[in-house]
Amino acid sequence: MKLHAVELPLGRSHALPRTSKIVLVIIFGTLIFLTIIPVFYPLLGYPLYLLKNSSSSKSSSTYDISEELQASIRISEGENCDIFSGEWVRNPDAPYYTNTTCWAIHEHQNCMKYGKPDTEYMKWKWKPDGCELPVFNPAQFLEIVRGKSLAFVGDSVGRNQMQSLICLLSRVEYPIDVSYTPDEKFKRWKYTSYNFTIAYFWTPHLVKSKEREANGPTQTGLFNLYLDELDEEWTTQIEEFDYLIISGGHWFYRPSVLYENNQIVGCHFCLIENVTDLTKFYGYRKAFRTAFRAINSLENFKGITFLRTFAPSHFENGMWNQGGNCVRTKPFRSNETALDGENLELYMIQMEEFRTAEREGRKKGKRYRLMDTTLATLLRPDGHPSRYGHWPHENVTLYNDCVHWCLPGPIDTWNDFLLQMLKMEGARSHQERLHSGDRKMRFQ
């Protein structure tokens, strides 16, 4: 479209006053601006300021929201980049919160408070092969999820990620507690300025379970797992949510008795006479299968289910209860370690059950996404609390913790992944709308 200057009559008694001329020019210019802008910003549905390049973050005391709003919707290069394959690189700007600016850090993961001597574990970010993954932008995240809700379903590692998200968002807003129960295993937080709700549902085995003995063979309890029965503590609560992040793993290492059809079918290291040891892998597969079946059976659930994949632990020189510890001070390179043994088996079970659930769910209009954090997590033996989850003089019965993650720390990157995936959902939705509109035009 070729634009021409506006010609107004001059030197005549009926000429418009100068003020009116200016008003007309402004109106015309505004119409042109609003016409052209959509051409350059095709990702409609996001505020335009979210499409600018991001700038470096400031400390919480001097935080400037306008700078944080300037972040790219897309990763820096090709859209086909696998954001889950890459290496850890130095990030001198981190951390983006501390134990004094965020109240959501669980004591056992508060490594700054309890004096973890090496602080370099906070100074890394994930660099995918072939592109850049933007560091978490809290204002952008809250704009994208405005009016929506997100549920974390799983064990304490899932809670670990939820607390990371609250801390990352704390530079913009703190949520208020809107929990429906005083039970700390089922929490809800609301960001009132954005009408955004985060919830956490404690379900360490994903299915119905009950403690059978307090101690058991390994002094960590013996549990009955009802592998074909739903854990209604979460399955009856999630239909209202827009996003669901499901995860699980480490509780399946604990001894358990496995039930199907209300009958014992075997166990994992239960040491009960005449009960076959089917190993942890049998229960793990059946638990995820039942959990996904529950999601696919919810007629009113219209949200997106993210599977956050297994996060390997990093015990060295012994098992968790035999003096094992995690004392490394820097990440592995991807060629220095490999996913193998039990970690590989658990990961593959997740992938297989996820693909089956995704295929079955698609028939019912369900949406599944894979948050494949396993490789990035495998490369971070340096980011665990170890013995820095309590004061040295405290008489506590805690082992070295090489399962959970220090906050701030490596799993903040899980929320980098989450934000990028939500941005990709926005692009996907836009393309679907365009495709739908194109079809209507062609068949009208």
Side-chain angles (χ1 to χ4, degrees), residues 123-389:
K123 299 286 187 180
W124 299 86
K125 67 178 179 179
W126 182 248
K127 170 67 173 67
D129 298 329
C131 63
E132 296 290 336
L133 177 67
V135 170
F136 189 88
N137 183 315
Q140 185 184 62
F141 181 93
L142 286 169
E143 283 294 345
I144 291 174
V145 299
R146 184 185 289 275
K148 298 185 182 297
S149 54
L150 165 66
F152 290 88
V153 172
D155 57 21
S156 53
V157 180
R159 181 178 62 209
N160 210 173
Q161 182 183 4
M162 179 197 71
Q163 292 164 338
S164 163
L165 180 59
I166 291 175
C167 288
L168 289 167
L169 294 175
S170 67
R171 290 178 288 159
V172 173
E173 183 172 317
Y174 288 106
I176 61 172
D177 191 335
V178 292
S179 303
Y180 61 92
T181 171
D183 191 339
E184 290 294 317
K185 294 179 180 178
F186 305 96
K187 299 293 294 182
R188 293 197 185 202
W189 306 96
K190 185 170 184 178
Y191 292 82
T192 56
S193 299
Y194 296 86
N195 189 28
F196 169 58
T197 301
I198 294 177
Y200 169 69
F201 295 96
W202 168 262
T203 176
H205 294 107
L206 300 176
V207 294
K208 179 181 175 181
S209 64
K210 182 173 65 175
E211 189 172 65
R212 184 186 182 109
E213 295 178 19
N215 293 319
T218 61
Q219 307 302 307
T220 58
L222 176 63
F223 297 85
N224 290 341
L225 305 190
Y226 303 92
L227 298 176
D228 54 354
E229 295 189 42
L230 310 183
D231 180 355
E232 295 185 350
E233 293 282 6
W234 70 270
T235 59
T236 60
Q237 298 281 333
I238 64 166
E239 282 189 305
E240 66 191 82
F241 286 88
D242 297 287
Y243 308 110
L244 173 67
I245 299 178
I246 188 170
S247 59
H250 293 285
W251 276 70
F252 290 85
Y253 280 84
R254 301 188 182 206
S256 56
V257 180
L258 308 177
Y259 287 77
E260 293 181 76
N261 296 318
N262 290 315
Q263 300 292 323
I264 295 177
V265 295
C267 75
H268 162 55
F269 198 66
C270 64
L271 304 185
I272 298 177
E273 189 175 353
N274 296 324
V275 177
T276 303
D277 194 326
L278 296 176
T279 77
K280 67 177 76 66
F281 305 118
Y282 182 91
Y284 194 62
R285 181 181 296 279
K286 286 299 185 74
F288 267 100
R289 185 172 299 177
T290 298
F292 287 137
R293 174 170 56 84
I295 295 169
N296 281 340
S297 69
L298 295 174
E299 292 185 5
N300 295 324
F301 177 62
K302 307 301 181 184
I304 300 174
T305 299
F306 296 88
L307 170 64
R308 197 268 298 155
T309 58
F310 181 67
S313 62
H314 291 93
F315 289 100
E316 295 187 68
N317 300 316
M319 300 295 290
W320 61 272
N321 58 348
Q322 298 172 349
N325 205 348
C326 39
V327 297
R328 293 180 183 267
T329 58
K330 65 178 183 179
F332 289 122
R333 299 284 297 175
S334 61
N335 61 358
E336 293 177 331
T337 188
L339 191 67
D340 56 15
E342 293 184 346
N343 289 334
L344 177 61
E345 185 69 18
L346 293 171
Y347 174 78
M348 292 306 299
I349 288 171
Q350 279 188 319
M351 296 294 287
E352 291 163 7
E353 294 304 316
F354 173 82
R355 295 304 181 197
T356 300
E358 180 184 38
R359 185 169 56 252
E360 293 300 316
R362 191 179 301 119
K363 301 173 185 176
K364 302 179 179 181
K366 297 292 187 286
R367 293 174 290 170
Y368 285 87
R369 307 289 184 257
L370 187 68
M371 188 185 298
D372 194 349
T373 59
T374 300
L375 174 61
T377 306
L378 176 68
L379 302 181
R380 290 308 304 272
D382 57 320
H384 298 286
S386 179
R387 62 186 178 90
Y388 298 100

Side-chain angles (χ1 to χ4, degrees), residues 50-75:
L50 298 184
L51 301 173
K52 300 177 182 177
N53 291 327
S54 61
S55 58
S56 60
S57 302
K58 294 186 177 182
S59 66
S60 58
S61 60
T62 61
Y63 185 67
D64 183 351
I65 292 179
S66 64
E67 292 186 10
E68 280 296 308
L69 290 174
Q70 299 173 5
S72 171
I73 280 293
R74 301 186 181 186
I75 51 182

